[in-house]
Amino acid sequence: MFLVMAAVLAVTLMGVLGVLAVGGVWVPPVARRRVLRPRLWGYGALVNAVGLGLFMFLGPLADAGLEFLPALGWCLWMGGTVVQLLAQRPGRPAPTKTAS
């Protein structure tokens, strides 16, 4: 029961962060340094929350004839992750040593 409640809390928190990023252009301080496009990051967080919720909570219904739900949830979850990665700044090349 505790694991289910922790999962519900995590999915809900992810959805709330997505709504805050989309509506108020606010990103959590942990991710704020790298995120260049906060609204895109928020949309990715919302898609992540929906996909993770489908995967975890409706996935066990696959035995009842709904075999597509876990796969759909997983695809949405990975798609949201890709969208969140696209919202971040591109990586910088490592500094090189100069000859002196």
Side-chain angles (χ1 to χ4, degrees):
M1 185 66 173
F2 291 116
L3 289 176
V4 172
M5 293 307 292
V8 167
L9 181 65
V11 170
T12 304
L13 181 65
M14 194 180 316
V16 166
L17 288 176
V19 168
L20 287 175
V22 170
V25 191
W26 183 83
V27 178
V30 176
R32 192 174 297 156
R33 189 178 74 175
R34 293 202 40 99
V35 172
L36 182 62
R37 294 171 292 275
R39 289 187 186 206
L40 185 62
W41 187 88
Y43 286 125
L46 285 174
V47 172
N48 259 342
V50 169
L52 193 57
L54 275 176
F55 183 72
M56 285 194 310
F57 301 122
L58 297 181
L61 296 177
D63 293 337
L66 300 172
E67 295 87 14
F68 66 93
L69 284 179
L72 177 66
W74 187 84
C75 289
L76 284 173
W77 184 24
M78 290 299 120
T81 302
V82 168
V83 170
Q84 282 187 313
L85 288 174
L86 290 174
Q88 294 182 1
R89 290 192 174 120
R92 296 189 174 96
T96 58
K97 292 183 179 180
T98 57
S100 55

